Amino acid sequence: MPPSSHSTTPRNQMLRRIATLSALALTVAVLWGIIFDRWRPSDWSVPITYDGDGLFYLACTKLAERGELSIAGHIFTEALGAPFVGNLNDFPYTDRAMSWVAGFFSRISGPFFANNLMGVCAHILAAFSFYLAARLWRISQPVAWGLSIPYAFIHYGLLWHTKVLGILFFGLLPLQLYVCWYLSAAPKLGWRSPRFKLAVAISFLSGFNNIYFVVSFALFYFFALLRRICARHCDFRLAIIPSLFTALALTIVLSSFIIYGITNGKNPGAVIRHYANLEWGSLKPFDLVIPNLGQAFGLFNWLYKKYSTVTSLMFPEQMTVYVGLIGIAGLSLLIWNFITRSLARKPIPLPALCTIWTLAFISFGGLVGLFALISDFYMIRAIQRYATIISTISFLYFALGLSRWSRDWHNIPKIALISAIGIGGLADQAWPHFKKWQGSAESMTRQLEEDATLVTKLETELPAKSMLFMLPIVPFPEGPQQLYGMQDYELFRPFLHSKTLRYSYGSHKGRPTTEWQKHTAYLPANKMVTELESYGFRGILINRHGYEDNANSLLEELASAGHKPTIEQGDEWVFIPLNPSPTPKLPHLPYSFPDKWFSSEGTPDNWWRWTSTSKNNIIHLYTRESGRHHLTFDISAVSARNIYLTLDGKPLDTINLSTSNLHRAISLILDLPKGKNILTLSTDQPPTIPIGDNRALSLCVANLNLVPIGSLSLNFGQNWFPREGTADNWWRWTGTITGSELSIYSKEAGKYQLTASLGVISPRQVYFMREGELIQKVEFQHQGEQAISFTLKLKQGDNTILLSTDQMGLSPVGDPRHLAFYIKNAQIAALPPQVVSFDNNWFPKERGGDNWWHWTGKRTGSKVSIDNHGEEGTYELFALVGAINQRKVDVMVNGELAAILEFDQAGEQELSIPLRLKQGNNSLILSTDQDPIQPDTRDTRELAFYIKNLTIKSTVDNEKQ
C-alpha cells in the first residue's frame, strides 16, 4: 500500500475532522476574547453584560447552581419572593436547558464565568453548525471553514451576547435548515441513514432551544413535510419521526409550566403583551442592509444618519437585524437568481422561497400580525429576531456561490480570497462591538466588587435567611426597561453575590404572593415599616437610582420615623435595618384576578382592571376566617349595560349602568367561608372600543377591597361616587338630593361616635336622618368644610343613616359630575362607658412613662366632667392627688362633698371614692384652701395640686375581680 493511502483511512479522516473542528473552536474562542476584552483568564469571571435581561439570565444560572432550576420540573426558591417561596412557574421559560447547563459549570466557577463559557460555546456552536451544514451541502472545505467564523459573529449574535442566553444559541439554524431540506428532498429516508440520525438529533436539540427558534423550526419542518407529501413520497410518515423528538424535548421543558397553570389557575398577569408589542418587534426589510453607526469601513454611515433622521418608526430591536456585508452579498445573489430564474420560467430556488416566507412572516403588518389578531395570541412578539434566518440563508447561499465559483481555483488564491472575505466580513460585523467592549472588564470588575462588598456586609450583620424588602417595587418579569436611573432586573444584583439572604424581589407577578408588595410599599413610611416587621423582614434594601429624587424623600420619611441607614454603597444601594416580629405572619392580599383581565393600571392607591369579555369574568376572594366581610369596589363601563354578580354560583346583585351614569360604587356585606370564594361578573352587552384605546372593553373593576367585619363597619350606599384621595385622606361625593345612604354594621348594641368632615361647593343644608328622625343638621353659608361629630345609639346588626340636602347638585369647573356634598375621613367608634374630660382650669395633660397627670393653678372650680354612657348606678373612682405644699383638697361629686385630702407637706395621696353616676353628664370639682405657688425657677407656672391616672370602674367588675 502506498504511504499516501494512510491519510484516507477512517481513523485519519476522523483525526483530520477533529483537528479541523478544534482549530475552528480555538479560533472562535480567541476572537471572542479579543472582541469582548476577555482575553485574559482572570477576565473570564467578569460578565459581558451586568444589566437588563443579562441579569435575569445570570439569576437563572444562580438558581440552577443552587439546584432550584433544572431542565424539567417546577422552579421554586426560598431566596426570592420573601416571605413566600419564590415562584417562577407562571411564564414558560424555554431557555431553561441552557441555564441548567450553565448552572452545572457555575457550581465550579460561579455564575459569571459559567455564563461567559456558555456565550463562547454558543459562538462555537454557530461556527460548527455552519461548517457542518455547508459540508453536507457539498460546499468546499475552505469556503465552509472560512465563512463559519464571520457567521459565528454575525451582528445579531454579538448584540445579544448573554443578554438573552437562549437567543444567543441561534447557531443551530444552519443544521435546522439542512434537516428541513433533507426531509423535503431526500429520495428515500431510512433509520440507518446517518443523515436521518442527524435529523433526529438536531430535531431533539431544537426542542430545548429558545421558543423563537422552536417556532421557526416547526414552520420550516411543516413546509418540508408538505413538500414531501406533494412529491408523493410514500415514506412521509417516517419524516414525521424527528418532529416527535422535538415535541418530546419541548414537553420536557414546558410540562411543569402547564401543570402549574392547571393546578394553581392561570396567571395572565405574569406577562402582558398586546398587538402593539408585536408591531414594535416587527421587521422593516430596509433594516437588513443598514448597519449602526461606527461600522469598520464606515460605508453606510451617511445612509444610516439620513435614515435615522427621516424615519418615523424606530423599533426597540431595529438595530439588531443587520445581516452584514457577506449577508448582503448572499442576499443580492439570491435576488439575482430569483429574478433570472423567474424570467426564464425555471423553478424558483428553495432558499428564495424560504426568504420570501420569512419576510412575509415577520415584516411590519405581516402574517404574524394577522395570526395574532385572529388568535388573540401576542406572546411571540420580537419577531425581528427571525431576521437571523435571513442572515443564515444569505451566508449559506453566498458560501454555495463562492464554492462553485472558486471550484477550479488553485489553493493559494482560493484561500487568499476566502480569508479576505472572511476577515472583511468579520471586521464589518465585529468592529463596533470591539470598540464598545474595550476596557469593559476593568469597569465591570469594580461594579462587581462593590456589589459583593455590599452583600458581604449584609450577610455579616444579619443572621442567615434574613429577609430584605427591596425597593422600588418593580414587576417581574418584564418590568419597565428603564425606571429613572435603574434598568429592569437590577434588583437581582445582590442575589447574584448572596449565599444566605432572602429577597422580596424575583417571584412572578400577578398572584397574591407578589401583589401585596406594591400595596405595602405605598403606605406611609411608619406604617410600611410596621407591616414589614410584622411579616418578619429584617431590613429594607433600596436602589436609589430607581427614584426620581434618588430616594431622598423616602429616606427622609423613614428617618423621621426613626429608621436610618446603617449600610450604604455609594449613591446607589441603601440598607435600613428593621426589628422583625418574633411571631411573623404572612402578607394577605384578599383578592386575585385569575383570568380574562387586563393588567392593573393606575397606582396602588387608585387602580383599575379592564376585561374584554362579557361572560364569566372571575375574581377570587380569599378569607382567613369564615364570617362577615365587607366587599367594596367601583365598577364602570364604556357604554350602558347591566352587570350581573354571582358569588360561588349564586346570584348576588344586578348593577345597572346607564348612559348618564357609567360609574357605580359597590358596597356589599357578605357571609364568606374560610378560603377561596369565586365572584363572577357578567354583562348583557358586547365589549365596546372606546376613543383612544384599541382594546374592546366590557367592564372595569377598580379599587377592590375585602375586609373582615369586626365589631363595626361603615359602608357607603350606591348613590355615592367612587372614593377619591389617599388611604389617609379620602372623601366620597354624592350628587343626589335625597337617599345617600350610610350603613353602619354593629356587632353589639350600644352608643357609638361618628366623626367626619362634611364639605359642599355651594350654600346648603345637609340633614342626617335615622328611621325618619332628624339626628343632625349641618348648615353652610358658603362653600367650605365642617367637622361633624355626634353620638348614635346603634342596634345589633345593620343601621342605616340617610343624608339629604335642600339644594340641587352643581358641576364644578373641570368636573362633569353634578355634586351636592361630600363626606371625608368618616370613622365610627364605640364610646367607652364613661368619657372623662378636664375643663380649662387644668393645664394640658403631661406624661411620664405609663403615668399621666393634670396640674391646676386655680384655688377653686377645677372641674372634671364624666359623661356616663353606661347604666346609671354606683361606680368607683381611683386616682392619685398630689399637692405642691401643705394644703387641704376638697372633692365634690355632683354638688356633694365626697372626700377631703389633707397634706402636711408636698406629696401624693390615693383617692378612692364611690360614685353614684346618672346617665349623661356628671361633674367632679376639686378645690383647695391655699393659693397656688411657683414650685421653682424651672417651671414658671403657679401650681396648686394635680390629679393623676384617674380611672372609673364598675363595682360589678370589682366584685368579679
Side-chain angles (χ1 to χ4, degrees), residues 373-582:
L373 287 175
I374 294 172
S375 64
D376 202 30
F377 181 81
Y378 308 107
M379 301 310 287
I380 305 295
R381 53 166 188 172
I383 52 178
Q384 282 181 340
R385 296 170 183 176
Y386 287 128
T388 317
I389 299 171
I390 298 175
S391 294
T392 303
I393 293 173
S394 301
F395 260 79
L396 286 169
Y397 203 73
F398 179 79
L400 183 63
L402 181 61
S403 177
R404 289 175 177 174
W405 183 55
S406 62
R407 181 185 305 159
D408 299 326
W409 288 28
H410 293 293
N411 285 338
I412 293 177
K414 181 190 293 188
I415 293 173
L417 176 63
I418 295 170
S419 300
I421 292 173
I423 293 171
L426 179 64
D428 169 61
Q429 297 162 182
W431 178 254
H433 303 280
F434 171 78
K435 291 192 300 182
K436 175 183 177 181
W437 295 110
Q438 293 313 295
S440 64
E442 184 178 349
S443 60
M444 193 79 73
T445 299
R446 287 195 298 270
Q447 189 175 15
L448 291 174
E449 289 174 349
E450 290 173 357
D451 285 359
T453 301
L454 169 70
V455 173
T456 299
K457 290 180 181 178
L458 290 170
E459 294 190 334
T460 301
E461 182 174 312
L462 302 174
K465 295 189 177 182
S466 292
M467 297 189 299
L468 304 182
F469 187 70
M470 304 194 77
L471 290 173
I473 299 300
V474 180
F476 168 77
E478 296 189 3
Q481 291 188 357
Q482 190 78 28
L483 185 63
Y484 302 109
M486 187 182 78
Q487 293 189 37
D488 197 10
Y489 303 118
E490 292 229 25
L491 295 183
F492 271 131
R493 281 165 47 194
F495 166 67
L496 296 175
H497 302 271
S498 183
K499 296 179 181 178
T500 63
L501 298 178
R502 301 180 64 195
Y503 302 89
S504 61
Y505 177 73
S507 190
H508 279 171
K509 64 180 183 282
R511 294 194 184 273
T513 51
T514 54
E515 294 301 293
W516 68 271
Q517 294 184 19
K518 58 187 178 184
H519 293 270
T520 300
Y522 197 75
L523 294 172
N526 57 337
K527 291 186 178 180
M528 176 181 70
V529 167
T530 301
E531 280 211 13
L532 292 176
E533 290 178 337
S534 72
Y535 301 150
F537 282 92
R538 284 194 176 269
I540 303 172
L541 187 59
I542 303 172
N543 188 312
R544 301 181 65 176
H545 290 177
Y547 292 85
E548 185 176 12
D549 65 345
N550 212 33
N552 289 328
S553 57
L554 173 62
L555 292 173
E556 289 173 4
E557 192 178 353
L558 286 166
S560 64
H563 301 277
K564 296 182 179 180
T566 58
I567 298 175
E568 298 186 47
Q569 179 196 305
D571 68 339
E572 187 174 15
W573 295 101
V574 174
F575 170 73
I576 296 169
L578 302 178
N579 296 312
S581 167

Side-chain angles (χ1 to χ4, degrees), residues 67 100 278 308 341 408 440 488 545 646 728 764 862:
W100 176 66
L278 194 144
S308 61
R341 292 180 71 88
D408 299 326
S440 64
D488 197 10
H545 290 177
T646 64
D728 294 328
R764 67 184 60 237
S862 296

Side-chain angles (χ1 to χ4, degrees), residues 174-295:
L175 285 173
Q176 286 179 332
L177 292 173
Y178 176 80
V179 166
C180 293
W181 173 84
Y182 164 72
L183 293 174
S184 69
K188 186 177 180 181
L189 302 177
W191 279 104
R192 296 183 180 181
S193 167
R195 297 193 181 196
F196 189 81
K197 293 177 182 177
L198 174 68
V200 171
I202 296 301
S203 297
F204 185 63
L205 290 176
S206 296
F208 293 108
N209 210 341
N210 182 270
I211 191 64
Y212 285 92
F213 301 125
V214 176
V215 171
S216 64
F217 179 63
L219 284 172
F220 283 116
Y221 199 106
F222 170 76
F223 291 130
L225 289 178
L226 192 62
R227 187 171 185 267
R228 193 164 193 86
I229 292 172
C230 292
R232 298 184 179 181
H233 288 286
C234 61
D235 58 355
F236 74 89
R237 292 183 180 85
L238 190 60
I240 298 174
I241 299 299
S243 67
L244 300 181
F245 285 86
T246 305
L248 174 62
L250 196 61
T251 301
I252 292 172
V253 170
L254 295 182
S255 59
S256 66
F257 300 105
I258 297 170
I259 293 170
Y260 187 83
I262 294 172
T263 56
N264 294 274
K266 292 182 180 179
N267 179 13
V271 176
I272 305 294
R273 293 173 178 175
H274 306 295
Y275 182 78
N277 301 126
L278 194 144
E279 285 189 343
W280 294 336
S282 296
L283 172 73
K284 291 192 292 181
F286 202 39
D287 296 329
L288 293 170
V289 296
I290 298 182
N292 278 317
L293 288 173
Q295 295 303 114

Side-chain angles (χ1 to χ4, degrees), residues 27 116 118 129 155 257 280 314 400 450 475 523 577 729-730 764 777 805 818 858 905:
T27 303
N116 281 340
M118 292 297 289
S129 176
H155 179 65
F257 300 105
W280 294 336
M314 292 290 286
L400 183 63
E450 290 173 357
L523 294 172
N729 186 30
W730 59 268
R764 67 184 60 237
K777 181 178 77 172
T805 181
H818 288 275
K858 302 295 184 179
Q905 57 186 7

Side-chain angles (χ1 to χ4, degrees), residues 678-689:
I678 299 176
L679 177 70
T680 306
L681 296 84
S682 300
T683 178
D684 58 354
Q685 298 296 323
T688 304
I689 300 177

Side-chain angles (χ1 to χ4, degrees), residues 874-890:
T874 302
Y875 296 81
E876 193 157 0
L877 181 146
F878 298 92
L880 295 173
V881 177
I884 199 164
N885 59 359
Q886 182 180 0
R887 65 181 59 238
K888 182 173 68 174
V889 178
D890 297 333

